[in-house]
Amino acid sequence: MLDVAAELEAVTGPLKGSSIPLSDAEVSIGREPSNQVSLLDASVSRRHCLIRHEAGQFKIRDLQSRNSTFVNGVPVTERVLASGDEIKVGNSILVFVLPEAEPSGKVSSSVEFDKADTAAGSTVILRKQDARYLREAGSIQPSGRTLRDLNALVRIGNAVNSVRGLRVLEKQILESIFEVAPADRAAILLCEQGVEEFTSVYGLDRGGEFIEAVQVSRTIVSQVFSEGVALLCNDVPSTETFAGTESVIARQIRSVLAVPLEVFDRVMGVIYLDSSNPDARFDEDHLQLVTAIGSIAAAALDNARRMESLEEENRRLQAEMSVAHNMVGESPRMRDVYQFIQRLASRDSTVLIFGESGTGKELVARAIHSNSGRANKPCVAINCAAIADNLLESELFGHEKGSFTGAIAQKKGKLEVAEGGTVFLDEIGELAPLLQAKLLRVLQEREFERVGGTRTIKLDVRLIAATNRNLEEAVKKGVFREDLFYRLNVVSLRMPPLREHREDIPLLASYFASKFAQRANRTVLGISPQARACLVNYDWPGNVRELENAIERAVVLGSSDLILPEDLPESILEKAEAVSAASTFHDALRETKKQLIVNAFEQANGSYTDAARLLGLHPNYLHRLIRNLDMKSLLRQAGAE
C-alpha cells in the first residue's frame, strides 16, 4: 500500500461519478476485467495504460493502445502526472487528484553552538578500533547487557533499513536511541565540509517534540568531526568546560554524548545527545551502543540524502520539461526543442528558427511567448511571403491618413499592435531589401515611423523570425542583408523534419485523429496497425502539416471505426507498396542464391572448389557468401566437404 493518497475522479465514461483510489504501486487501466480499473468501452484497448508510483511521483505510460492515452488533450507515451491532469482513455475522462500535504510545521532544526571548551579530565573518548560492536563477533564477551545491546542493534538495523526519506529516517533513528539511552534531547547533524556548514540538522526531545534550535558544544562536535572519535562527558556543570554556558545553566545539562556518522572513512555527521537528569548518567556501555547505532545509520542516512538530491534534480528536470506548448512529441529531438523553449522563454533575445515548411516553427514562437514575461501581451504573427511587398510595409509599420491612395484613415502596424509583446515574422527570407533596412533599424534603435509619417514611435517588442531558406546562402548571393542576418541570428533553432523523429508519428496521428473525429462528429476508435505502418514508413516532405491533412482526409472519407490504409492518400500507399515490394524482391533473390549454391554443390559432389568453379566465383567469396546466407548446416547435410 502507498503512503501517498492519490485517486482518479471519473468525469465521463462507464465509471462516471466514481473515485478510484490509486492504492497500489501499479494500476492498470483497460477493457479487460483483470485490470484494476476496467472500462467497458469498445474504444479502450484490453490493456490500455498503466499508472505507476515511483520515487514520489505518479507516471502514466501508454501500453501501445489502439488510440493512445491523452493527458490534457495531448497523446503521450509516458508522462509524470500533476494534480488536476485530465487523462482521456477512450471515451472516459479521469482527473488525477493528489491531495496537498498537510502543513507539518518545521522539518529542519537550526543549530546553536555553546561558547565553551571541554575539559579533558571529564571526557571519555572512544576510538573506532576500540568500539566493541565494530570488531569481529568472536572478540565480544557475552553478558546480559551485551546480549540486550545486540538485540537492540538488530532491531534498530531492521527498522532503519526499512525507512525511506531523510526526515522520517532521522526521526526513526532518534526514537530508537531514546529506547536504549537515557537522553532528554537528541539530534542528528549532517554536513558536507566541516562543522561550519551543516546541510541538515534535526532534533527531538524524549517526548517526541521537534526542537527548533539544537544547542551543541562546538568543541565536542569539532573533535568528533576532525578525529572521528566518540565522546562522553558527565558531571557537566561541575567542570570548567560548561561553567559559564547559557544553555547549560538554562537547561541544567548533566551529560553529553556524541558519536560520528562515518561513511567510507569520511565523517558526514554527528549524533549528539544530552541529559539534564542527574540520576540518569551516560556510561561507557551507552557510548559503545550509540557508536554502533551511528555506524549502522550512517550508510542509510547517506543513501537517503543522495536519494533526496536525485529526486530534487529529477523534479527540476521535469519542471524544465513541463514548459507549456501545443506541440505533440516525446522523441529526443522534440525534447531538445522543449528545453530550448524553456531556456529562451525568460530572456528577451531575438530568436531565428530554421526548418522546412510544416515543421511547427510558429508553434515554437508562440510557446516561447506564452512562457515568457510578455505572455499577457499580444503575440502577432506575420507571414512575409503571403503579403505583397507594397502592402507589407504598411502591415508592419502602419500608415498615416492620406499617405497613399486608399489610406483613408490612420492605421497602426503589426509592430505597434504588439507593443510589450512578441512579433513573429514567418518566412523572413522573403522580405524585400527596403523592408530589410527598415527592420534592421527597428532591431538596432527600437523605433520606427509609420508610412507617410514623421513622428518617431518607440517600440518594446521581442522579435522571433523563421525561415525555410538558407539565409547564409542568401547573404552570399546578396539577396539578404548580412547585418540584418547577424541581428536576427542571436539565438537560433533548427526544427527537425518529421522524417528525423518518426517515433512521434503515431502520437501525432492519434492527436489529429481525435481532433478531426470530434470536429466531424464521428467515432474513430484509432488507427489500424497497417495504416500506422504506412504512416511511419512515409517520408513526409510536407512534415507535420502534411500528416495533419492526411489524417483529416482519412477521418472525413473513412467509413469504419478505424483508420485503414485505404483511407490514406495514394502517395502514402505507393511508398508503403514500394517498401513491401522491395522486401519481397530481396527475399526472392536470397532464396534464388541459396538454390543455385545447393545445385552447384550437388553437381560438384560436395566439393567447395568445384562448386565455386561451376558458379564462376572465387572459393573465398563462396565461403563468405555461404556464411552470410547462413547455409553451413544446410550444405553439411548435403555432404559438402
Side-chain angles (χ1 to χ4, degrees), residues 28 31-38 46-47:
S28 63
R31 194 174 70 248
E32 286 184 345
S34 59
N35 293 285
Q36 286 95 328
V37 180
S38 178
R46 289 193 294 272
R47 278 178 54 82

Side-chain angles (χ1 to χ4, degrees), residues 4 69 109 136 178 196 206 239 271 286 295 299 314 326 374 381 412 419 428 480 486 488 494 501 519 575 587 616:
V4 180
T69 301
S109 307
E136 293 183 5
F178 284 130
E196 301 298 332
R206 178 166 284 277
T239 66
I271 296 177
H286 292 130
S295 179
N314 186 46
N326 292 322
R374 299 176 180 268
K412 290 183 177 181
E419 173 65 22
I428 190 74
F480 198 85
Y486 289 121
L488 291 171
R494 176 183 175 271
H501 55 112
R519 187 177 296 178
K575 170 69 174 178
D587 288 344

Side-chain angles (χ1 to χ4, degrees), residues 321 329-340 493-494 496 500-504 507:
M321 294 304 298
E330 298 178 0
S331 64
R333 299 298 301 274
M334 290 307 296
R335 289 183 184 276
D336 290 343
V337 172
Y338 304 151
Q339 289 180 351
F340 177 89
L493 168 70
R494 176 183 175 271
E500 291 183 6
H501 55 112
R502 294 179 186 270
E503 58 265 50
D504 289 327
L507 290 178

Side-chain angles (χ1 to χ4, degrees), residues 455-472:
R455 182 171 67 89
T456 299
I457 300 171
K458 294 292 183 181
L459 186 65
D460 174 26
V461 297
R462 180 182 194 170
L463 187 68
I464 302 176
T467 181
N468 61 8
R469 295 181 61 181
N470 187 330
L471 289 189
E472 291 183 351

